Amino acid sequence: MDNHILQEAARTYNTPCYIFDLDVFISRIRRMEQILGKQVNIYYAMKANPFLTAAAAQAAGGLEVCSPGEYAICRRARVPAQKIVLSGVNKEESHIRSVMAEQGAGTYTAESLNQLRLLEACAGAAGRTGVRVLLRLTSGNQFGMDEEDILASIRNRDSYPHLDLAGLQYYSGTQKKGMEKIEKELVKLDSFMDFVREHLDFEFRELEYGPGFQIPYFEGQEQADEEILLQEFKKALDSLHFKGIIFLEAGRFLAAPCGSYLTRVADVKRSQGQNYCIVDGGINHVNYYGQTMAMKVPAYRYIPQDNPVRPPASQTSGDRWTVCGSLCTSGDILVKNLPLDGLMTGDLLVFDRIGAYSVTEGIYLFLSRKLPVVLTCTQEHGLSLVRDALPTDILNDGSAMEIYQSQSNS
């Protein structure tokens, strides 16, 4: 995304704002498909960025949906039911009954034996048979089931006459460096599926796996060659005994590089020998995985604006600034000691590689500041407004409930 687009966004829609490049997002899906081959279907984990849902429905094989709210977004985006994998550690009975009644999901995951019984009960109540279910294997946390519970569910599969125990799901976390851990996980999954085949006379037809490829965010982090990484991953997949359908769950890896966050310098000052830059955004909008006390420098750009009183560069060379947001907390620091020669109010700062999670993970309700503008960008259509700036004060004020309800109904 070039600076001209970013400056146009600032002029037309003001700051702060997110800009998501849909062409980049779709091209990343296409490239993964091209390298990994037809055996692998790319599924987008929409928790990474729900504003990419419609684009993902167009380009990806499916979407991983983890809450009633995410499901509602998919329905409004007219995502075909067969492309929805309804996942999540907490499945609410009323929601599952509603989804099954309208045949709104193609696949469900089961994270416990209780969830498996819930899916069976809801499928029976809806008169559905052959409801596709993926059994989630735990990686040692609150998600998924132990091997023993999965084996028990397969042994007792006659207890679930309305369900089709189609496959296995596994995801152990994000930001994995290199292939070593991924290869170990694939060997583990392959061995487990071999055991099920040999000892329980049961064949998993599908495997959904989340590799958790790393996205480097900060200066000094090694940038892996994604082409080589994906080729090595394909070799690991090809070596599996399992020859069924593979669904590759990816969120951060697909979304992070397609997003930028644009914020404007609102004030500059010097205090006790330190230069401070105050921007109109803050940590309520910018959230990089692995950032610690603003000590790491993320991918950023500095775009000075026309200002006739800007001092010559020779007078400001070497200036370093601590970039702070608009929140009334000493923790609202985006980055420390950033070299920004000649910085002045009105200048723009761009934080790149922010297409995943920041748009939803920030502490958005703190101080009742507005939610930032969300834009998408394509080469064909340019900038498009997806969400205008939204007030949050009505969410933090019980006396404003009538206003909130009227806006919700409109």
Side-chain angles (χ1 to χ4, degrees):
M1 198 180 309
D2 63 39
N3 287 355
H4 297 294
I5 290 291
L6 297 169
Q7 289 176 311
E8 179 187 346
R11 285 193 304 268
T12 306
Y13 300 101
N14 212 339
T15 57
C17 65
Y18 296 101
I19 308 172
F20 303 125
D21 190 324
L22 300 185
D23 292 337
V24 170
F25 177 67
I26 291 173
S27 70
R28 291 181 68 77
I29 295 174
R30 297 290 187 232
R31 188 59 182 148
M32 289 184 73
E33 290 175 334
Q34 183 180 12
I35 294 174
L36 297 178
K38 294 182 179 179
Q39 181 194 8
V40 177
N41 296 272
I42 308 301
Y43 270 46
Y44 175 59
M46 67 175 288
K47 64 178 180 288
N49 187 338
F51 290 96
L52 301 176
T53 297
Q58 169 192 339
L63 290 93
E64 187 83 9
V65 178
C66 292
S67 73
E70 286 191 346
Y71 178 78
I73 292 170
C74 286
R75 298 302 282 168
R76 288 194 292 270
R78 298 183 180 180
V79 178
Q82 66 269 22
K83 283 196 167 189
I84 294 176
V85 177
L86 195 60
S87 191
V89 69
N90 175 25
K91 292 182 174 66
E92 301 167 23
E93 181 176 354
S94 60
H95 182 240
I96 298 301
R97 286 182 179 275
S98 173
V99 174
M100 285 195 179
E102 62 182 14
Q103 291 185 288
T107 306
Y108 301 79
T109 68
E111 300 230 7
S112 68
L113 292 177
N114 285 335
Q115 278 197 5
L116 198 59
R117 288 188 283 268
L118 172 64
L119 293 172
E120 169 61 28
C122 292
R128 309 292 180 200
T129 56
V131 173
R132 286 159 40 97
V133 174
L134 302 178
L135 303 174
R136 181 165 182 175
L137 178 64
T138 187
S139 61
N141 48 34
Q142 72 268 38
F143 302 105
M145 294 182 271
D146 287 338
E147 290 183 1
E148 290 76 10
D149 284 344
I150 290 180
L151 295 175
S153 67
I154 294 170
R155 292 189 183 99
N156 299 325
R157 56 189 177 274
D158 289 344
S159 301
Y160 311 106
H162 298 88
L163 305 182
D164 173 15
L165 306 185
L168 194 67
Q169 183 195 40
Y170 187 83
Y171 175 77
S172 66
T174 187
Q175 294 294 78
K176 296 172 188 167
K177 298 179 181 179
M179 282 292 301
E180 183 177 357
K181 184 174 182 180
I182 292 171
E183 288 173 343
K184 288 181 179 179
E185 289 178 349
L186 288 174
V187 169
K188 171 185 174 180
L189 293 171
D190 206 29
S191 297
F192 181 63
M193 290 187 289
D194 281 346
F195 180 88
V196 170
R197 183 187 311 110
E198 294 170 6
H199 294 272
L200 300 186
D201 193 28
F202 183 86
E203 186 85 32
F204 284 119
R205 306 189 310 276
E206 301 172 8
L207 170 64
E208 182 184 309
Y209 176 65
F213 294 134
Q214 183 190 29
I215 287 290
Y217 285 130
F218 307 109
E219 287 185 357
Q221 286 186 334
E222 184 178 353
Q223 172 71 60
D225 187 315
E226 292 185 354
E227 298 280 315
I228 294 176
L229 176 67
L230 291 173
Q231 288 167 4
E232 291 178 347
F233 183 63
K234 176 174 171 51
K235 290 179 182 178
L237 293 179
D238 289 343
S239 69
L240 298 178
H241 298 150
F242 175 76
K243 299 303 177 185
I245 300 172
I246 294 176
F247 301 96
L248 186 67
E249 178 192 345
R252 186 188 308 276
F253 185 73
L254 294 173
C258 82
S260 297
Y261 173 75
L262 184 59
T263 184
R264 192 182 299 275
V265 177
D267 196 6
V268 293
K269 57 186 173 182
R270 186 171 179 82
S271 178
Q272 297 185 357
Q274 174 66 55
N275 293 325
Y276 289 97
C277 158
I278 309 299
V279 297
D280 59 5
I283 60 168
N284 49 333
H285 305 156
V286 176
N287 186 6
Y288 284 105
Y289 185 96
Q291 179 64 287
T292 306
M293 301 295 290
M295 298 302 294
K296 299 178 182 179
V297 178
Y300 78 95
R301 281 178 273 176
Y302 169 41
I303 307 178
Q305 301 302 286
D306 293 335
N307 193 324
V309 300
R310 188 180 302 276
S314 59
Q315 297 180 16
T316 61
S317 178
D319 280 357
R320 290 185 172 271
W321 297 82
T322 293
V323 181
C324 304
S326 299
L327 303 180
C328 291
T329 169
S330 59
D332 191 7
I333 302 176
L334 297 176
V335 61
K336 296 178 179 178
N337 296 317
L338 205 61
L340 302 170
D341 293 346
L343 183 74
M344 299 187 73
T345 58
D347 290 347
L348 300 173
L349 289 178
V350 184
F351 291 89
D352 290 317
R353 303 207 136 215
I354 210 161
Y357 294 103
S358 279
V359 71
T360 53
E361 278 194 343
I363 49 175
Y364 285 101
L365 298 184
F366 185 54
L367 238 64
S368 298
R369 287 195 170 272
K370 288 183 179 180
L371 295 176
V373 170
V374 177
L375 306 168
T376 58
C377 177
T378 64
Q379 186 173 7
E380 180 179 359
H381 299 293
L383 290 168
S384 298
L385 178 65
V386 178
R387 184 189 74 191
D388 208 344
L390 290 177
T392 64
D393 58 285
I394 58 175
L395 300 178
N396 289 338
D397 180 5
S399 65
M401 185 55 67
E402 291 183 3
I403 299 174
Y404 173 67
Q405 290 176 337
S406 66
Q407 291 186 354
S408 299
N409 294 330
S410 62

